[in-house]
Amino acid sequence: MKKRAVTLLTLLAVSASLMACGGSDATESSAENDAEQIEAEVTGQTENADTEEEEVLPEGKYRSELTNELIDESLKDQRPIAVMVDNESIALPHYGLSHADVVYEMMNSTLNGRITRFMALFKDYESVDQIGSIRSVRPTNVILAAEWNAIICHDGGPFYVDEYLDEACSDHFSGTFSRVDNGKSREYTEYILSGDMDKNFSNSDVSKDYTSYYEGAHYQFANENNPVDLGTSYPDDAIDANMVDLPFPHNGSYLEYNADDQLYYYSEYGKAHVDPGNDNAQLCFKNLLIQSCGYTQYDEHGYLIFDCVSQGGGYYVTNGKAIPVTWKKEKMTSPTRYYDAAGNEIKINTGKTYVGFVPVDDWLDLVIE
């Protein structure tokens, strides 16, 4: 609007100049007509610049609120599930994680080398034949699942989770999934198989669709035709990010950038993380959100809760570059928001997202290069 105002003032000055120079009535009229025509053109340009053209989606499709990818419109109101997946080496290989839309990884205990656990979010969970193995939940996971209005799928947990699971905004299924004979001890044999979720819904009053606690859009996505390029959008802040080495000493998580497909590939325990339920596809992501977060340890057993309803620093990583960000979460059901150095909420690219919670006392050991 400022540009338009400047342009109009210029036009008025030109018109006044013509009149001051003793132009004829015809010249004066012509100048006024020219001014009106240019004003109309400027106005139209301004309106077009301020209004994004509405995308015409293929029939029966909508853009997923988790990935911005086109998925079946019948899923639009369906709540995602948040699946707790064991990350001890004996639990490998994991099934179904390569199909997850968003994967969280965080310290599960201060003991045992600060072992991590996954929480994987699935929108179209019925399309995945096998997910798991399933393990117990922690308070942080319950809080984070609430911001997606996701249904937590787990097998028990320490009593510290009870007050969070009792919140009206929390829904969960525990220990109600299938057992698979995989030659391992019982705690590593529980998986979500096709039909398990329908059975759980049939045997409970948990809503399959979003509830009143859902606050709506979570991540802000860039237009696919104009994706986020950190190297050009944030040239002063952006750093090279061909490898992200997380300070998780027990399993040694790291992600490597593949410039050919512009995705980050996840490895742990010194080898690629593959999914036998998806032709041994390696777990990979378009976006990485790395959060520095404080925590409170509950007891000598290493149980803890991250200070995730708070604010802090971190990085957004995509397409081989990273920028520093800040994050903020106001309450249990509020989405975590991420902001650039100027305080603007960032947009992320279409695709799957990895969220890594790095304990604040390990933050200096994070390597991005």
mmCIF file of all heavy atoms in Angstrom, residues 95 129-134 177-194 196:
data_model
loop_
_atom_site.group_PDB
_atom_site.id
_atom_site.type_symbol
_atom_site.label_atom_id
_atom_site.label_comp_id
_atom_site.label_asym_id
_atom_site.label_seq_id
_atom_site.Cartn_x
_atom_site.Cartn_y
_atom_site.Cartn_z
ATOM 1 N N TYR A 95 9.106 -51.670 12.816
ATOM 2 C CA TYR A 95 8.170 -51.805 11.702
ATOM 3 C C TYR A 95 7.291 -50.555 11.595
ATOM 4 O O TYR A 95 6.788 -50.058 12.596
ATOM 5 C CB TYR A 95 7.272 -53.028 11.897
ATOM 6 C CG TYR A 95 7.935 -54.340 11.552
ATOM 7 C CD1 TYR A 95 8.862 -54.905 12.410
ATOM 8 C CD2 TYR A 95 7.636 -54.997 10.360
ATOM 9 C CE1 TYR A 95 9.490 -56.114 12.106
ATOM 10 C CE2 TYR A 95 8.251 -56.197 10.048
ATOM 11 C CZ TYR A 95 9.169 -56.756 10.917
ATOM 12 O OH TYR A 95 9.793 -57.945 10.605
ATOM 13 N N ASP A 129 0.620 -51.891 7.707
ATOM 14 C CA ASP A 129 0.294 -53.259 8.150
ATOM 15 C C ASP A 129 0.776 -53.569 9.560
ATOM 16 O O ASP A 129 0.128 -54.323 10.290
ATOM 17 C CB ASP A 129 0.897 -54.281 7.177
ATOM 18 C CG ASP A 129 0.252 -54.237 5.798
ATOM 19 O OD1 ASP A 129 -0.940 -53.850 5.713
ATOM 20 O OD2 ASP A 129 0.928 -54.577 4.812
ATOM 21 N N GLN A 130 1.921 -52.995 9.961
ATOM 22 C CA GLN A 130 2.509 -53.336 11.258
ATOM 23 C C GLN A 130 3.310 -52.146 11.778
ATOM 24 O O GLN A 130 4.119 -51.574 11.048
ATOM 25 C CB GLN A 130 3.417 -54.564 11.119
ATOM 26 C CG GLN A 130 4.007 -55.067 12.427
ATOM 27 C CD GLN A 130 4.774 -56.384 12.246
ATOM 28 O OE1 GLN A 130 4.664 -57.027 11.201
ATOM 29 N NE2 GLN A 130 5.526 -56.781 13.249
ATOM 30 N N ILE A 131 3.072 -51.784 13.038
ATOM 31 C CA ILE A 131 3.774 -50.653 13.657
ATOM 32 C C ILE A 131 4.306 -51.095 15.013
ATOM 33 O O ILE A 131 3.573 -51.616 15.848
ATOM 34 C CB ILE A 131 2.841 -49.438 13.854
ATOM 35 C CG1 ILE A 131 2.196 -49.008 12.530
ATOM 36 C CG2 ILE A 131 3.605 -48.283 14.475
ATOM 37 C CD1 ILE A 131 1.133 -47.928 12.696
ATOM 38 N N GLY A 132 5.578 -50.832 15.257
ATOM 39 C CA GLY A 132 6.107 -51.146 16.580
ATOM 40 C C GLY A 132 7.535 -51.643 16.538
ATOM 41 O O GLY A 132 8.211 -51.533 15.526
ATOM 42 N N SER A 133 8.012 -52.157 17.684
ATOM 43 C CA SER A 133 7.207 -52.643 18.790
ATOM 44 C C SER A 133 6.803 -51.516 19.752
ATOM 45 O O SER A 133 7.478 -50.501 19.845
ATOM 46 C CB SER A 133 7.968 -53.725 19.579
ATOM 47 O OG SER A 133 9.195 -53.205 20.081
ATOM 48 N N ILE A 134 5.689 -51.783 20.462
ATOM 49 C CA ILE A 134 5.054 -50.792 21.318
ATOM 50 C C ILE A 134 5.631 -50.873 22.732
ATOM 51 O O ILE A 134 5.794 -51.958 23.293
ATOM 52 C CB ILE A 134 3.528 -51.016 21.379
ATOM 53 C CG1 ILE A 134 2.946 -51.164 19.972
ATOM 54 C CG2 ILE A 134 2.850 -49.899 22.158
ATOM 55 C CD1 ILE A 134 3.138 -49.969 19.088
ATOM 56 N N PHE A 177 -2.974 -54.230 21.921
ATOM 57 C CA PHE A 177 -2.608 -54.508 20.534
ATOM 58 C C PHE A 177 -2.157 -55.951 20.374
ATOM 59 O O PHE A 177 -2.152 -56.721 21.329
ATOM 60 C CB PHE A 177 -1.533 -53.510 20.092
ATOM 61 C CG PHE A 177 -1.937 -52.073 20.336
ATOM 62 C CD1 PHE A 177 -1.378 -51.335 21.381
ATOM 63 C CD2 PHE A 177 -2.920 -51.480 19.566
ATOM 64 C CE1 PHE A 177 -1.766 -50.024 21.619
ATOM 65 C CE2 PHE A 177 -3.328 -50.169 19.801
ATOM 66 C CZ PHE A 177 -2.752 -49.446 20.820
ATOM 67 N N SER A 178 -1.751 -56.303 19.181
ATOM 68 C CA SER A 178 -1.439 -57.701 18.865
ATOM 69 C C SER A 178 -0.037 -58.099 19.330
ATOM 70 O O SER A 178 0.864 -57.262 19.445
ATOM 71 C CB SER A 178 -1.538 -57.922 17.349
ATOM 72 O OG SER A 178 -2.852 -57.718 16.885
ATOM 73 N N ARG A 179 0.116 -59.381 19.573
ATOM 74 C CA ARG A 179 1.417 -59.954 19.898
ATOM 75 C C ARG A 179 1.939 -60.724 18.687
ATOM 76 O O ARG A 179 1.206 -61.466 18.038
ATOM 77 C CB ARG A 179 1.312 -60.894 21.097
ATOM 78 C CG ARG A 179 0.959 -60.188 22.399
ATOM 79 C CD ARG A 179 2.124 -59.391 22.949
ATOM 80 N NE ARG A 179 1.751 -58.587 24.122
ATOM 81 C CZ ARG A 179 2.615 -57.884 24.834
ATOM 82 N NH1 ARG A 179 3.896 -57.862 24.481
ATOM 83 N NH2 ARG A 179 2.211 -57.176 25.858
ATOM 84 N N VAL A 180 3.217 -60.514 18.399
ATOM 85 C CA VAL A 180 3.857 -61.164 17.256
ATOM 86 C C VAL A 180 5.024 -61.993 17.762
ATOM 87 O O VAL A 180 5.890 -61.480 18.493
ATOM 88 C CB VAL A 180 4.361 -60.123 16.230
ATOM 89 C CG1 VAL A 180 5.145 -60.816 15.109
ATOM 90 C CG2 VAL A 180 3.197 -59.336 15.651
ATOM 91 N N ASP A 181 5.052 -63.256 17.407
ATOM 92 C CA ASP A 181 6.144 -64.132 17.826
ATOM 93 C C ASP A 181 7.371 -63.824 16.976
ATOM 94 O O ASP A 181 7.503 -64.265 15.834
ATOM 95 C CB ASP A 181 5.736 -65.596 17.650
ATOM 96 C CG ASP A 181 6.795 -66.561 18.169
ATOM 97 O OD1 ASP A 181 7.826 -66.080 18.693
ATOM 98 O OD2 ASP A 181 6.619 -67.785 18.032
ATOM 99 N N ASN A 182 8.265 -63.020 17.535
ATOM 100 C CA ASN A 182 9.470 -62.626 16.794
ATOM 101 C C ASN A 182 10.742 -63.196 17.419
ATOM 102 O O ASN A 182 11.857 -62.766 17.095
ATOM 103 C CB ASN A 182 9.562 -61.094 16.708
ATOM 104 C CG ASN A 182 9.545 -60.428 18.084
ATOM 105 O OD1 ASN A 182 9.659 -61.091 19.110
ATOM 106 N ND2 ASN A 182 9.384 -59.103 18.107
ATOM 107 N N GLY A 183 10.562 -64.139 18.350
ATOM 108 C CA GLY A 183 11.705 -64.781 18.977
ATOM 109 C C GLY A 183 12.318 -63.986 20.111
ATOM 110 O O GLY A 183 13.342 -64.396 20.676
ATOM 111 N N LYS A 184 11.702 -62.856 20.465
ATOM 112 C CA LYS A 184 12.233 -61.999 21.524
ATOM 113 C C LYS A 184 11.373 -62.139 22.785
ATOM 114 O O LYS A 184 10.282 -62.716 22.748
ATOM 115 C CB LYS A 184 12.258 -60.545 21.059
ATOM 116 C CG LYS A 184 13.106 -60.319 19.816
ATOM 117 C CD LYS A 184 13.023 -58.885 19.339
ATOM 118 C CE LYS A 184 13.796 -58.697 18.036
ATOM 119 N NZ LYS A 184 13.714 -57.313 17.524
ATOM 120 N N SER A 185 11.863 -61.574 23.885
ATOM 121 C CA SER A 185 11.083 -61.611 25.122
ATOM 122 C C SER A 185 9.809 -60.789 24.955
ATOM 123 O O SER A 185 9.716 -59.911 24.087
ATOM 124 C CB SER A 185 11.915 -61.099 26.300
ATOM 125 O OG SER A 185 12.393 -59.792 26.049
ATOM 126 N N ARG A 186 8.830 -61.025 25.805
ATOM 127 C CA ARG A 186 7.483 -60.509 25.628
ATOM 128 C C ARG A 186 7.422 -58.976 25.482
ATOM 129 O O ARG A 186 6.623 -58.459 24.707
ATOM 130 C CB ARG A 186 6.599 -60.941 26.807
ATOM 131 C CG ARG A 186 5.146 -60.492 26.679
ATOM 132 C CD ARG A 186 4.276 -61.060 27.782
ATOM 133 N NE ARG A 186 2.930 -60.494 27.731
ATOM 134 C CZ ARG A 186 1.967 -60.889 26.917
ATOM 135 N NH1 ARG A 186 2.203 -61.863 26.037
ATOM 136 N NH2 ARG A 186 0.771 -60.331 26.938
ATOM 137 N N GLU A 187 8.272 -58.246 26.184
ATOM 138 C CA GLU A 187 8.169 -56.785 26.140
ATOM 139 C C GLU A 187 8.498 -56.207 24.762
ATOM 140 O O GLU A 187 8.237 -55.036 24.507
ATOM 141 C CB GLU A 187 9.055 -56.138 27.205
ATOM 142 C CG GLU A 187 10.539 -56.359 27.034
ATOM 143 C CD GLU A 187 11.063 -57.502 27.891
ATOM 144 O OE1 GLU A 187 10.354 -58.522 28.035
ATOM 145 O OE2 GLU A 187 12.188 -57.365 28.417
ATOM 146 N N TYR A 188 9.046 -57.035 23.879
ATOM 147 C CA TYR A 188 9.382 -56.566 22.528
ATOM 148 C C TYR A 188 8.477 -57.172 21.456
ATOM 149 O O TYR A 188 8.830 -57.155 20.275
ATOM 150 C CB TYR A 188 10.839 -56.905 22.200
ATOM 151 C CG TYR A 188 11.825 -56.335 23.177
ATOM 152 C CD1 TYR A 188 12.515 -57.174 24.060
ATOM 153 C CD2 TYR A 188 12.070 -54.967 23.234
ATOM 154 C CE1 TYR A 188 13.425 -56.651 24.965
ATOM 155 C CE2 TYR A 188 12.983 -54.440 24.141
ATOM 156 C CZ TYR A 188 13.652 -55.281 25.009
ATOM 157 O OH TYR A 188 14.551 -54.766 25.921
ATOM 158 N N THR A 189 7.319 -57.676 21.836
ATOM 159 C CA THR A 189 6.488 -58.417 20.874
ATOM 160 C C THR A 189 5.141 -57.768 20.562
ATOM 161 O O THR A 189 4.338 -58.345 19.835
ATOM 162 C CB THR A 189 6.213 -59.841 21.397
ATOM 163 O OG1 THR A 189 5.456 -59.765 22.624
ATOM 164 C CG2 THR A 189 7.501 -60.602 21.626
ATOM 165 N N GLU A 190 4.869 -56.575 21.100
ATOM 166 C CA GLU A 190 3.563 -55.954 20.877
ATOM 167 C C GLU A 190 3.619 -54.984 19.692
ATOM 168 O O GLU A 190 4.484 -54.102 19.634
ATOM 169 C CB GLU A 190 3.096 -55.217 22.132
ATOM 170 C CG GLU A 190 1.659 -54.712 22.021
ATOM 171 C CD GLU A 190 1.153 -54.141 23.331
ATOM 172 O OE1 GLU A 190 1.938 -54.017 24.287
ATOM 173 O OE2 GLU A 190 -0.050 -53.805 23.389
ATOM 174 N N TYR A 191 2.678 -55.143 18.759
ATOM 175 C CA TYR A 191 2.622 -54.321 17.550
ATOM 176 C C TYR A 191 1.169 -53.962 17.245
ATOM 177 O O TYR A 191 0.247 -54.683 17.613
ATOM 178 C CB TYR A 191 3.198 -55.072 16.338
ATOM 179 C CG TYR A 191 4.643 -55.449 16.452
ATOM 180 C CD1 TYR A 191 5.029 -56.625 17.114
ATOM 181 C CD2 TYR A 191 5.640 -54.654 15.896
ATOM 182 C CE1 TYR A 191 6.371 -56.988 17.204
ATOM 183 C CE2 TYR A 191 6.981 -55.004 15.993
ATOM 184 C CZ TYR A 191 7.341 -56.173 16.650
ATOM 185 O OH TYR A 191 8.659 -56.514 16.755
ATOM 186 N N ILE A 192 1.005 -52.846 16.542
ATOM 187 C CA ILE A 192 -0.308 -52.501 16.001
ATOM 188 C C ILE A 192 -0.413 -53.154 14.631
ATOM 189 O O ILE A 192 0.371 -52.840 13.721
ATOM 190 C CB ILE A 192 -0.485 -50.981 15.860
ATOM 191 C CG1 ILE A 192 -0.341 -50.290 17.221
ATOM 192 C CG2 ILE A 192 -1.852 -50.644 15.257
ATOM 193 C CD1 ILE A 192 -0.389 -48.778 17.155
ATOM 194 N N LEU A 193 -1.352 -54.060 14.493
ATOM 195 C CA LEU A 193 -1.603 -54.726 13.218
ATOM 196 C C LEU A 193 -2.928 -54.245 12.638
ATOM 197 O O LEU A 193 -3.728 -53.602 13.330
ATOM 198 C CB LEU A 193 -1.639 -56.248 13.407
ATOM 199 C CG LEU A 193 -0.384 -56.904 14.012
ATOM 200 C CD1 LEU A 193 -0.545 -58.417 14.035
ATOM 201 C CD2 LEU A 193 0.875 -56.507 13.237
ATOM 202 N N SER A 194 -3.147 -54.533 11.380
ATOM 203 C CA SER A 194 -4.379 -54.119 10.706
ATOM 204 C C SER A 194 -5.591 -54.603 11.493
ATOM 205 O O SER A 194 -5.669 -55.778 11.876
ATOM 206 C CB SER A 194 -4.421 -54.688 9.289
ATOM 207 O OG SER A 194 -3.374 -54.164 8.504
ATOM 208 N N ASP A 196 -6.453 -53.588 14.518
ATOM 209 C CA ASP A 196 -6.316 -53.351 15.964
ATOM 210 C C ASP A 196 -6.960 -52.035 16.391
ATOM 211 O O ASP A 196 -7.587 -51.957 17.459
ATOM 212 C CB ASP A 196 -4.837 -53.335 16.363
ATOM 213 C CG ASP A 196 -4.257 -54.731 16.502
ATOM 214 O OD1 ASP A 196 -5.023 -55.705 16.375
ATOM 215 O OD2 ASP A 196 -3.036 -54.849 16.730
#
